[in-house]
């Protein structure tokens, strides 16, 4: 079955195209905020839930008013899509998968517009959007699969000023890989980004640390600029954003290479569930944890496993992977973070991270065999934070239990 995926490319719009897209972004943001305000007001004042169809009718009425007549200057498709996105945001909120939708800010919110099939023209690598006479100047870093046409197109501009177009289509070239016999456990850390049960370790590139001095200088320059929307402040803000974008791009590229290799070489991958959102509350380690990208690593690993017919098993974060001997199963009472190598009473000498990865693999396979989660019994005091065990600062910079 073909996999639906998005292909993202950079493009360089002309002045007229940039003006049209910026106008569209503003209209999309306005419609989203108006619809959110209307739905919030209806619920607060009348306990009434307003759905997508009601907001679509409101959009038609808004276009006929004098104050919002400028909405007719933009394509109607992105405006309708913004209402669908709002409907999805409320569905996630009512399903307790997300917080209440927030209003979009002109400065901080992502600038984007989505076009569905029929609202754009795509032929022979030439993409033309509504209200534009010329196709976009796209840098095709790779070709779309033969005979495939995008179903939706999303145009965006990030905080660094870079323009991107994402084409969502079915990719028949993504098929399941031949079955493999390898199974591997993966332990995440900070000194080493990942440690495998085979003993292999992936060095943590620490992308943010490499550009920390540049980032600090750019942020100090931004802080010295007068507040507001002055040209100098905008230029300084964009310089900071470009440094952040450079760091994020390098991090994502590194994680893509690692996850692709792991999925290709192993049939089953066992990882540890980490509450990254809670762990970053530790002010001593939050920067290093964010730079590691553990949540993004798991996300990449899981969707690539689905693509290529692999299995990913997640072990509960409370499992004492580092305290238990992978040879005899004896569990130690404590395991300070400064202990990187230790010897069990049975005589087995362990590397802390490799031992944890082996225990994670064994626990994941055992749980998969019996169809249960790896959730050991524990007496958890009321109010205890749900974060990885022993995630306290140390000289080693690790957070592995």
């Amino acid at each position: 079955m073909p996999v639906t995926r998005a292909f993202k490319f950079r493009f360089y719009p002309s002045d007229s195209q940039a003006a049209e897209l910026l106008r569209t972004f503003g209209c999309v943001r306005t419609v989203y905020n108006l619809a959110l305000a209307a739905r919030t007001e209806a619920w607060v004042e009348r306990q009434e839930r307003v759905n997508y169809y009601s907001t679509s009718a409101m959009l038609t009425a808004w276009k006929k008013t004098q104050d919002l007549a400028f909405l007719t200057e933009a394509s109607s498709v992105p405006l309708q899509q913004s209402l669908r996105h709002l409907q999805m945001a409320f569905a996630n909120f009512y399903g307790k998968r997300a917080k209440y939708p927030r209003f979009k800010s002109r400065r901080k919110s992502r600038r984007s517009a989505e076009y569905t099939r029929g609202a754009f023209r795509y032929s022979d690598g030439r993409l033309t959007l509504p209200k534009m006479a010329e196709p976009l100047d796209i840098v095709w870093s790779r070709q779309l699969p033969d005979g495939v046409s995008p179903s939706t197109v999303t145009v965006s501009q990030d905080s660094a000023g870079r323009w991107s177009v994402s084409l969502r289509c079915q990719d028949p070239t993504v098929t399941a890989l031949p079955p493999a016999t390898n199974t591997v456990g993966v332990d995440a850390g900070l000194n080493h980004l990942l440690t495998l049960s085979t003993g292999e370790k992936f060095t943590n590139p620490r992308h943010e640390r490499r550009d920390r001095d540049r980032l600090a200088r750019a942020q100090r320059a931004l802080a010295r600029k007068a507040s507001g929307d002055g040209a100098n402040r905008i230029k300084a803000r964009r310089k900071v954003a470009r440094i952040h974008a450079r760091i994020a791009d390098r991090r994502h590229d590194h994680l893509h290479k690692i996850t692709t290799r792991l999925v290709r070489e192993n049939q089953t991958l066992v990882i540890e569930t980490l509450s990254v959102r809670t762990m970053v509350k530790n002010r001593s380690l939050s920067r290093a944890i964010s730079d590691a990208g553990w949540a993004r690593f798991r996300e990449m690993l899981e969707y690539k496993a689905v693509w290529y017919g692999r299995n990913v098993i997640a072990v509960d974060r409370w499992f004492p992977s580092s305290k238990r001997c992978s040879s005899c199963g004896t569990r130690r009472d404590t395991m300070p973070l400064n202990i990187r190598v230790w010897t069990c009473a049975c005589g087995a000498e362990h590397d802390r991270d490799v031992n944890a990865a082996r225990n994670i693999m064994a626990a994941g396979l055992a749980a998969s065999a019996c169809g249960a989660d790896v959730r050991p019994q524990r007496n958890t005091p009321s109010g205890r934070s749900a974060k990885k065990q022993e995630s306290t600062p140390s000289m080693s910079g690790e957070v592995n239990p």
Side-chain angles (χ1 to χ4, degrees):
M1 182 177 179
V3 171
T4 301
R5 59 183 300 189
F7 294 85
K8 191 174 182 179
F9 305 94
R10 292 279 300 275
F11 75 96
Y12 298 88
S14 62
D15 292 341
S16 60
Q17 290 175 338
E20 177 61 35
L21 290 174
L22 291 175
R23 183 185 304 112
T24 302
F25 295 159
C27 293
V28 167
R29 182 182 65 253
T30 300
V31 170
Y32 186 95
N33 289 341
L34 288 173
L36 176 56
R39 296 180 68 147
T40 302
E41 181 183 358
W43 176 255
V44 171
E45 296 184 357
R46 303 184 298 275
Q47 298 294 301
E48 175 186 352
R49 286 192 179 183
V50 178
N51 57 21
Y52 160 75
Y53 300 101
S54 300
T55 55
S56 181
M58 293 178 186
L59 175 59
T60 303
W62 292 336
K63 290 182 178 180
K64 296 179 180 179
T65 62
Q66 183 176 0
D67 294 338
L68 299 176
F70 63 89
L71 295 177
T72 58
E73 300 176 3
S75 173
S76 61
V77 174
L79 306 185
Q80 293 289 345
Q81 288 300 103
S82 68
L83 298 180
R84 291 188 173 92
H85 295 164
L86 179 61
Q87 177 66 27
M88 185 180 301
F90 271 101
N92 291 333
F93 168 71
Y94 292 131
K96 297 183 179 180
R97 296 182 296 271
K99 295 182 179 180
Y100 193 82
R102 296 182 298 178
F103 291 97
K104 293 184 179 294
S105 168
R106 182 172 65 88
R107 288 185 180 179
K108 299 180 181 179
S109 298
R110 179 173 178 262
R111 297 179 176 182
S112 65
E114 184 179 78
Y115 300 84
T116 57
R117 183 176 295 166
F120 59 87
R121 297 194 306 272
Y122 175 79
S123 177
D124 299 329
R126 295 168 63 88
L127 176 66
T128 306
L129 298 180
K131 299 184 181 295
M132 294 185 185
E134 299 294 330
L136 298 180
D137 182 13
I138 301 176
V139 179
W140 298 99
S141 55
R142 52 181 171 172
Q143 295 298 323
L144 295 182
D146 295 335
V148 172
S149 179
S151 59
T152 61
V153 170
T154 302
V155 182
S156 62
Q157 184 188 34
D158 61 15
S159 56
R162 303 179 301 180
W163 296 87
S164 302
V165 57
S166 179
L167 293 83
R168 187 172 184 267
C169 56
Q170 290 187 340
D171 187 0
T173 63
V174 177
T175 56
L177 295 172
T181 58
N182 298 335
T183 300
V184 67
V186 183
D187 180 65
L190 293 180
N191 187 27
H192 292 91
L193 182 63
L194 301 172
T195 301
L196 306 185
S197 56
T198 59
E200 182 180 2
K201 297 184 178 182
F202 293 88
T203 303
N204 188 354
R206 303 183 189 275
H207 299 290
E208 186 271 339
R209 179 178 293 183
R210 291 168 54 187
D211 281 347
R212 186 172 298 176
D213 292 338
R214 291 183 56 205
L215 180 61
R217 287 195 298 269
Q219 289 174 331
R220 285 196 296 266
L222 174 61
R224 288 194 295 266
K225 300 297 184 292
S227 60
D229 291 331
N232 288 337
R233 185 171 181 83
I234 293 176
K235 188 185 301 183
R237 186 189 304 127
R238 182 157 295 180
K239 186 175 181 179
V240 173
R242 286 174 179 170
I243 298 175
H244 278 297
R246 173 184 170 88
I247 295 171
D249 289 345
R250 290 203 307 260
R251 182 187 302 120
H252 291 167
D253 178 71
H254 185 64
L255 292 178
H256 270 299
K257 291 176 181 177
I258 292 177
T259 52
T260 299
R261 178 194 157 186
L262 292 177
V263 168
R264 290 185 182 277
E265 295 179 352
N266 302 278
Q267 180 65 36
T268 302
L269 301 105
V270 186
I271 60 177
E272 188 175 15
T273 302
L274 298 176
S275 180
V276 178
R277 181 177 300 179
T278 303
M279 295 172 68
V280 295
K281 294 180 181 180
N282 185 331
R283 298 182 62 181
S284 301
L285 295 174
S286 59
R287 175 178 284 183
I289 292 173
S290 300
D291 192 27
W294 293 335
R296 184 62 174 158
F297 165 77
R298 177 175 178 175
E299 178 185 346
M300 291 181 181
L301 199 67
E302 289 180 339
Y303 79 71
K304 290 180 181 180
V306 173
W307 284 2
Y308 299 111
R310 302 311 199 201
N311 303 316
V312 175
I313 302 174
V315 175
D316 187 80
R317 62 179 172 269
W318 296 106
F319 179 72
S321 56
S322 293
K323 296 180 180 179
R324 178 172 296 179
C325 174
S326 58
S327 298
C328 66
T330 302
R331 176 178 173 179
R332 298 185 58 169
D333 294 333
T334 60
M335 181 65 68
L337 285 173
N338 61 341
I339 299 179
R340 311 313 304 172
V341 179
W342 59 282
T343 302
C344 181
C346 67
E349 185 174 349
H350 296 295
D351 177 284
R352 179 194 185 95
D353 300 331
V354 176
N355 178 67
R358 290 173 179 171
N359 283 327
I360 289 172
M361 181 181 69
L365 293 179
S368 177
C370 65
D373 292 333
V374 183
R375 297 183 180 274
Q377 297 296 324
R378 62 184 185 276
N379 295 323
T380 305
S382 177
R384 179 177 178 180
S385 62
K387 59 185 179 181
K388 193 174 181 180
Q389 290 181 333
E390 301 178 349
S391 58
T392 55
S394 70
M395 296 300 294
S396 64
E398 282 284 357
V399 295
N400 291 331

